[in-house]
Each structure stands twice: as structure tokens, then as C-alpha cells.
Amino acid sequence: MTTTREYDIVIVGSGAGGGTVAQALAPMVAQGVRILVLEQGPRLDDHEFTGREDEMAPSLYEDGGGFLTADGTMTLAFGRLYGGSTVVYTGTSLVAPEHVIRSWCVPGLEHADLQRRSEKYMAQNQVHYLPRVLLNENNKLFFNGCHRLGFRAEQFPLNLDGCKGSSLCNLGCPNAAKMGTHRVQLPEAERQGVEVVSRAEVLRLEERAAFVRVHEKTPGGKGRPSEWAPGEYEVKARMIISCGGSVGTSALLLRSPVTAGLSGLGAGFTCHPAHILVAEHDHEITNDVGHPKSYYLDRATEEGFVLETCMYFPFTTAKNLTGFGAEHSALMHAYRRLQMIHVLACDKAVPENRITVDRSGKAVVHYTFTNAVVKSMVAATRTSARIFFAAGARRVHAPSADPPLIDRQSAYRLDDLITEAHFLPGRISVSAAHLMGGCAMGADSAGVTDSRGRVRDVPWLRVADSSLFPDSLEINPYLTIMALADRVAEGVQIDWRH
Amino acid sequence: MTVTVLEPVRATFRAVAATVVPETHALDTDGWATLESAVERALAARPERVRAQLVTFLRLIEYLPIARVVGRFSRLDASRRTLVLRRLEKSPILLIRRGFWGLRTLVMLGYYTQPEVQAAIGYRAHPDGWATRRRLAPPESRGTPLITLEVPRLPDDSTTG
Ligand SMILES: Cc1cc2nc3c(=O)[nH]c(=O)nc-3n(C[C@H](O)[C@H](O)[C@H](O)COP(=O)(O)OP(=O)(O)OC[C@H]3O[C@@H](n4cnc5c(N)ncnc54)[C@H](O)[C@@H]3O)c2cc1C
Ligand code: SF4
């Protein structure tokens, strides 16, 4: 049996886009507008964030963090809970580069406008630089390595309040210190009367209606039961705003008869494909204590990559090292001496990289590493190896080298050892967490939406999330997603008045 | 008794696991049960198709070496097993490479997510962060820091975290 409910505005998804839209529209509730957020994942209570890798990854991420692209050569990480990926993000807060926004050529979208809105959310999310006293040695070594090579590493602004330096950000902060939409925007929206229903998966959209399945809480699983009784619902709405993320929104629109035929839908997927690189030092360093991500080196314009500090948990580390057996184990046992760098390639939208759905409606992400991406990742790996050695590392693990372990004595041969020929998809681990595109903004027929997220020819439907990006952003995207969502919400308010 | 995915291919799975993570060689019955139950949990969340592919792939690994007249995989010595798996890892066929990558990832999931194993390799992350490492941190508060930044100032040294 299907239960029917009626609202004025329905928001699908509660991550960076959905949380922002919910808060921005919340004042409309006082004018009698009924607003509902439908989130397919659960709502976790504070005490459930234990920081344990075995418990948290399956509870926070789609497919436990192991969502694979169609050919199985890359894992995509994205959150599936109240707060979306902002629950698991690291909190680095950067404003979009001006040249990128200009290159998107979206009519009506100005960098100055995005910057102004980004700054609003930086203030809301308490963005600041960590004081030096709280930086760990993993981060300092990166800075020093860059400095010795003549690079200037930049410090990340971070959105923290009360950070204890547990280094567990990507498993959900156990100290409620990281400012995701689950901490800031959603609670504020709910305080003003926006309703949020968790475990509510939107199966498809029809003319001004969302068809929803509310799931039971799995026995022994984390999170509260849904606010609604489990079952099937038809939720009628005057306007629907899809904020399911790049993969979630694209898949939802592709399996909805009203939108499935939209030209460009699912196209232009980019994700900053990434490696986790590891180096071993002679002595222990502070690495799994302190905020994990304090510095980055932006080589996007020059060489198509960005390097960031990072520190991952044992299983994530093990999975990302190439190879197996005694050498792999030895490196794992050197955990306290490990320094890590996250290498991100600035990929470009190409026709073959796109999102589709299978017969059951599940998202399928097709992604091929273009020559340009392979080149960037190899160049990034070489530069990282130089930084590691300049920082004093004894040996470096480079996925695109064979064998992957490179001793200090061989440091002078890095260009020969780390090569594109060794970038063998399926052998090396590549992962991505900056998923972008699928419902690109653009001029007229070039875009699925306009710069306010209005879906072409579907007046009751908007998009407000990372799927709007017409191409990759070349930096960490959450602030830009919030800025775009804020624009979409403003457009909704303007249109509502008319 | 619950039917498990690994049951029909357990010997091969354990032989692969002991080659991928040599420490598993020393696991007792309880140790294997812990590792395999984590793997089974992960598999339970996957589509039936993926579980069937895993079993087929493990069977392939078991019987592949017979073609080269060296015997079944689970009866080979450690160095021969390593050679077989290295061939899969670097196979010219993507399907084989990703099959092996998936299998090694499952083994590592079963092993490295165990809190005891994490402690044994020296992992110490704790929700209380710096407070649990009074001896080490925060660096500036313990006199001479091991590693200092090679610049005089950061963008905003005065802000508190
Ligand atoms: C591990 C990790 C670290 C990151 N670190 C950073 C960082 O430091 N800085 C930065 O800028 N960015 C970072 N990012 C990226 C950033 O978090 C994302 O780009 C951003 O959150 C995406 O916002 P979104 O609204 O598009 O999607 P999400 O935040 O992923 O939210 C989408 C939500 O929609 C829900 N949903 C999807 N489909 C449906 C449906 N059909 N029905 C109901 N609900 C649905 C999902 O469950 C999810 O909760 C990180 C990401 C990850 C995974
Ligand atoms: S490092 Fe700080 S923000 Fe990250 S999880 Fe730990 S306490 Fe939370």
C-alpha cells in the first residue's frame, strides 16, 4: 500500500547541497510553506561515532566506501546518511579558483558571486587555520619537504570547532568538532520547522511527486529508526530539489520517466582520481594524532595535479598499497614511521566518463583514465616522492613503479622508476571522493540545468549539488557546492514569490 | 547452520590469504573465524552476482596451477603461491587483475580492520587525540620539538583550534 503525503517543497538528500538548501529555505516555513528533506541514509547519534574503521565505514559510506566504477578500476567514496558526505569529509574549505569558474562558461554564473556566498558559509562553518601547535609531524614533514624543493605549500583553512586531533575525520568525527551539514545547517533548518526524514530513499520522480521507500532499521546497525513508518510513499510537492550528489541525483533523474530523456544527463562526470602515497622514515613521527590534512601543494595549472597531506586508517592504507606479501606487511608494520601524501589529478570532462543506471535503477559510473590523467598522476607521484625524500624518508612506496618500493639510494632515478607504463589499472589502487557532474549547468541545450539549477523543460524540478559542475573544480569542492546550492535556494525563493 | 560464501572454497581462500598477508599463516581457528566473518559480512552487502564471481575466481586460482603441472594452489609452497598471484596481479587481462585486486582487498579488510591487528602494527588513533599522547604532544609544549616548520610564520598562528 502506498501512503500519500503533501508538501510544498521536497529536498532529496541532506549533504553539502541538501543541507544548504534546507537551511536557506527554512525561513519560508514561517510563511506557511511546508518543506521536507528526504535522506536515504540513517541519522546517527553522537555516541555512535566511535572512530573504529570496522564499524564506521559500513555505516557511513555507500557500499562501505567500496563503490566501484563499471570496469572496477577505481573506488568512489561518498556518504550515505544524515549530512551526506559532509559527515566524512576532512573539512578543508577552499573557494573555487576564478579561472575554473570562467572556463565553465555558464551564463549568469560569476566567480565574485560564488566567492561571496562561499565566505558566508566559511563564517557559518567556523573556518580557520589550525595554530602551529596543533600540527602533527606528518604535516610538518610535507611542508619542509616542499620548502626544501622550492615549493610553497599552502595551509588549508579548516571548518573545525573543538577539534581534539583524533585524526579520524573520514570515519566521522567522534568529537562533534567537524562542521558538516549534520552539525550546522540541518539542525538549524529543523529548528525553523523543516522536516527531515531519514532512511527515506527516493526511487523515482513523476510530475510533481517523489516515490519513496522508507527502510527499516537493520538489526544491530547504527542510527535511529526512520521518522516515518517503513513502507512506500507518494510525496506530492509543488517543487522538488534534487541534492543526492553527483551519482545520486544523476541516477535518480535517469530512472525517472519525466527526466530520463534529458540531453546531457549523466554526462561530464569528473572526480579528481587519487592515489594515497606512503613513505617510511627511520624514526616514529606523529601521524595518527592531530588533524590529518593541514597542507596542500597546488600544481593544477602547471602539471594538472594537487598534493595534500593525509593519514589513513590501517585497512584503507593496506588496500591502497600496491602488492602483497612480506614487503607489504613490513610497510604496514612501519605504520608509526609512515608519512602520507594524497595525490589528486585534475581530470577533465570527457564523453566516455558518465553515469548511467542498470536495469534495477542502480547507478553505474563509467570511468576511463585518460592519457592526461595518467600523465598527471605519474607526475604527481614523482613530485611526491621527491618531497618525501627531501623530508628525510628512507623509502617511498609509489604505485606506478614496479617494484613499488623505492629506496633513498635510487632517488636520483625517480623519472625512470615511476612511469606511465607502470600505471596499470586494476593492479594499482585509485580512489576518488570529489564526485562532480552529471547534471551540468550550461547555456541552453548545452546544460541539463541553468545557473540556478532549474532543470530544462521541467519547471517544478531543481538540482542543487555537485552534479551541477560542468567540469572538475581542481580543488576541494564542498564550499563551491554550498555556494551553488545557496544560489539555487535564492532562485527558488524568487520564483516562489512570482 | 548458515551457508557461507567462502565455505566451498575455504582452503583456497586461506591459502590466498596466507600469501597476501603472511601473518595470517599463524592464525588459529578463532583467528580465521574472525577474519572470515568480516569478509562474509562485507560479501553479504554485495549483490549475489559478485559473490558468485568471487567463488568462481577462487576456483580458477585453485586449479590454474594444474595446467602448469605444479599442482593445486592450496597445496603449493609459499613461494610458488606468490608467483601464481603475482601473475594474476599483473595479468594483461583487466578482468583478472581486478578480480585479484578485489580478493586481496577482501583479505586485507578481514585482517587489518581487527582492532588487535591495528594495535599490533602500532596504530594508536583515539577519539581523544592529542590528550592521549601527553608525552609527545602538542609538539611545542614538550620543549624541543622533533620536527619544526622551516618557516617563521603560518598564515594565522594566533588563532586557537
Ligand atoms: C572521505 C571524503 C573526504 C572529503 N573531504 C573533503 C574536504 O576536505 N573538503 C571538500 O571541499 N570536500 C571534501 N569532500 C567532498 C565533499 O564532501 C563532497 O563533494 C560534498 O559533500 C558533495 O555534496 P553533495 O551535496 O553533492 O552530495 P553529498 O554530500 O554526498 O550528499 C548527498 C546525499 O544525498 C543522499 N541521496 C542520494 N540519493 C538519494 C535518494 N535517491 N533518496 C534519498 N537520498 C539520497 C545521500 O545518501 C547523501 O546523504 C570529501 C568527500 C569524502 C567522501
Ligand atoms: S581530527 Fe578533529 S575534526 Fe577530525 S575527527 Fe578528530 S577531533 Fe574531529
Side-chain angles (χ1 to χ4, degrees):
Chain A
M1 202 193 78
T2 303
T3 309
T4 305
R5 301 256 159 107
E6 248 181 86
Y7 286 82
D8 293 303
I9 299 175
V10 164
I11 299 163
V12 182
S14 65
T20 303
V21 171
Q23 186 201 36
L25 297 182
M28 293 169 78
V29 175
Q31 297 147 31
V33 179
R34 295 157 304 166
I35 305 177
L36 172 72
V37 177
L38 295 166
E39 166 55 54
Q40 65 184 359
R43 186 196 290 250
L44 267 62
D45 285 314
D46 288 356
H47 71 270
E48 294 180 286
F49 290 94
T50 59
R52 279 182 55 159
E53 196 177 16
D54 57 340
E55 286 179 6
M56 297 315 297
S59 312
L60 306 178
Y61 288 94
E62 181 76 30
D63 286 351
F67 183 100
L68 283 169
T69 50
D71 72 358
T73 56
M74 177 164 60
T75 37
L76 305 181
F78 51 110
R80 187 196 166 98
L81 74 162
Y82 176 89
S85 303
T86 73
V87 179
V88 292
Y89 69 14
T90 324
T92 60
S93 309
L94 295 178
V95 178
E98 188 172 355
H99 73 271
V100 172
I101 302 305
R102 229 180 305 119
S103 73
W104 285 359
C105 294
V106 177
L109 189 69
E110 298 290 336
H111 179 265
D113 180 55
L114 286 184
Q115 167 138 14
R116 184 178 56 79
R117 291 176 201 268
S118 298
E119 282 165 5
K120 179 169 101 181
Y121 288 99
M122 285 171 91
Q124 214 172 81
N125 285 353
Q126 326 241 10
V127 172
H128 63 282
Y129 292 106
L130 270 192
R132 184 191 306 205
V133 73
L134 293 175
L135 300 178
N136 68 16
E137 289 163 342
N138 181 41
N139 279 285
K140 290 180 180 181
L141 286 168
F142 178 79
F143 185 92
N144 290 350
C146 287
H147 183 64
R148 286 174 197 162
L149 294 176
F151 291 126
R152 168 82 195 163
E154 301 288 330
Q155 195 178 0
F156 270 122
L158 299 167
N159 62 12
L160 316 172
D161 184 16
C163 172
K164 292 186 178 176
S166 70
S167 89
L168 295 164
C169 306
N170 301 144
L171 295 175
C173 179
N175 298 309
K178 201 177 49 182
M179 299 296 106
T181 56
H182 62 310
R183 298 276 168 222
V184 184
Q185 288 77 22
L186 291 166
E188 177 56 25
E190 288 186 277
R191 205 185 52 74
Q192 295 187 49
V194 171
E195 249 183 86
V196 181
V197 179
S198 57
R199 301 186 191 272
E201 180 187 6
V202 179
L203 304 174
R204 66 179 191 284
L205 304 176
E206 289 186 11
E207 183 73 26
R208 295 179 204 273
F211 287 79
V212 184
R213 180 169 299 146
V214 173
H215 296 272
E216 294 228 33
K217 177 178 157 80
T218 40
K222 286 187 189 283
R224 300 183 202 166
S226 177
E227 294 74 1
W228 287 2
E232 307 283 322
Y233 292 81
E234 178 184 353
V235 183
K236 295 189 171 156
R238 288 167 67 190
M239 188 176 286
I240 296 177
I241 309 171
S242 186
C243 310
S246 170
V247 174
T249 286
S250 303
L252 174 61
L253 269 56
L254 281 163
R255 57 177 186 257
S256 300
V258 276
T259 43
L262 283 170
S263 139
L265 184 58
F269 175 79
T270 57
C271 61
H272 298 158
H275 275 324
I276 294 167
L277 301 187
V278 166
E280 185 184 345
H281 284 265
D282 287 327
H283 50 83
E284 283 187 17
I285 60 169
T286 47
N287 53 14
D288 59 2
V289 63
H291 188 277
K293 213 179 261 298
S294 296
Y295 286 107
Y296 67 104
L297 178 67
D298 187 347
R299 302 288 297 165
T301 313
E302 299 86 349
E303 298 181 90
F305 65 79
V306 176
L307 307 182
E308 303 182 345
T309 49
C310 68
M311 190 67 204
Y312 288 97
F313 326 104
F315 162 57
T316 313
T317 304
K319 168 172 113 170
N320 279 284
L321 296 175
T322 306
F324 59 89
E327 285 207 327
H328 183 283
S329 287
L331 209 50
M332 288 304 294
H333 280 272
Y335 193 85
R336 289 187 183 177
R337 300 194 303 276
L338 296 185
Q339 184 193 346
M340 290 193 197
I341 298 178
H342 200 201
V343 156
L344 298 99
C346 304
D347 52 344
K348 289 278 162 215
V350 293
E352 54 274 31
N353 293 344
R354 53 184 300 120
I355 300 162
T356 60
V357 284
D358 64 16
R359 259 183 291 167
S360 69
K362 190 173 170 7
V364 180
V365 179
H366 304 266
Y367 196 92
T368 311
F369 302 106
T370 60
N371 290 338
V373 162
V374 174
K375 223 170 149 211
S376 296
M377 292 195 80
V378 167
T381 305
R382 287 176 181 154
T383 303
S384 302
R386 291 198 173 92
I387 293 169
F388 281 136
F389 283 127
R394 165 208 292 190
R395 54 184 188 157
V396 167
H397 179 277
S400 34
D402 192 8
L405 278 173
I406 302 173
D407 285 331
R408 168 173 273 291
Q409 294 88 308
S410 306
Y412 70 98
R413 291 201 302 132
L414 289 178
D415 287 354
D416 299 331
L417 297 172
I418 302 170
T419 67
E420 287 158 39
H422 295 314
F423 187 98
L424 194 57
R427 172 176 180 249
I428 56 176
S429 295
V430 185
S431 57
H434 297 168
L435 316 185
M436 298 164 278
C439 303
M441 302 173 286
D444 304 325
S445 57
V448 176
T449 80
D450 69 6
S451 76
R452 293 272 189 190
R454 298 183 186 96
V455 177
R456 305 246 176 253
D457 306 324
V458 191
W460 49 268
L461 182 59
R462 308 283 153 109
V463 171
D465 59 22
S466 49
S467 68
L468 289 172
F469 288 27
D471 210 329
S472 91
L473 189 65
E474 301 183 5
I475 55 135
N476 315 48
Y478 97 82
L479 261 187
T480 308
I481 298 164
M482 288 189 137
L484 286 172
D486 193 64
R487 274 178 61 83
V488 174
E490 189 180 78
V492 168
Q493 283 167 314
I494 294 167
D495 293 352
W496 201 265
R497 281 199 290 274
H498 298 296
Chain B
M1 209 180 93
T2 351
V3 179
T4 72
V5 181
L6 295 178
E7 185 60 48
V9 282
R10 198 175 301 284
T12 317
F13 176 79
R14 289 188 181 181
V16 170
T19 317
V20 168
V21 181
E23 292 90 330
T24 61
H25 200 67
L27 289 180
D28 58 13
T29 317
D30 287 350
W32 278 114
T34 308
L35 187 152
E36 286 170 358
S37 66
V39 172
E40 294 282 1
R41 268 197 308 279
L43 287 171
R46 297 288 152 145
E48 176 54 41
R49 176 179 48 84
V50 173
R51 293 195 287 265
Q53 279 168 356
L54 177 78
V55 172
T56 309
F57 193 63
L58 280 162
R59 289 214 166 102
L60 183 87
I61 292 177
E62 180 67 10
Y63 296 109
L64 199 69
I66 291 182
R68 291 179 182 265
V69 211
V70 282
R72 291 171 64 153
F73 182 82
S74 54
R75 297 186 191 154
L76 299 182
D77 62 27
S79 64
R80 283 223 165 110
R81 283 181 192 166
T82 303
L83 276 178
V84 172
L85 297 189
R86 287 251 181 273
R87 269 197 210 109
L88 301 181
E89 188 198 24
K90 295 182 189 174
S91 164
I93 303 164
L94 173 61
L95 202 65
I96 307 253
R97 289 201 302 275
R98 59 171 269 200
F100 176 68
W101 185 89
L103 180 56
R104 87 186 250 291
T105 299
L106 273 177
V107 171
M108 287 170 185
L109 175 130
Y111 189 69
Y112 285 111
T113 53
Q114 295 178 36
E116 305 73 35
V117 170
Q118 299 192 333
I121 63 165
Y123 178 66
R124 288 179 291 179
H126 187 280
D128 289 339
W130 287 117
T132 60
R133 316 268 183 104
R134 280 284 169 245
R135 192 176 56 82
L136 286 172
E140 260 80 342
S141 68
R142 65 186 141 97
T144 39
L146 268 178
I147 296 160
T148 51
L149 287 172
E150 294 176 354
V151 280
R153 276 195 62 77
L154 290 171
D156 186 2
D157 262 354
S158 57
T159 335
T160 55

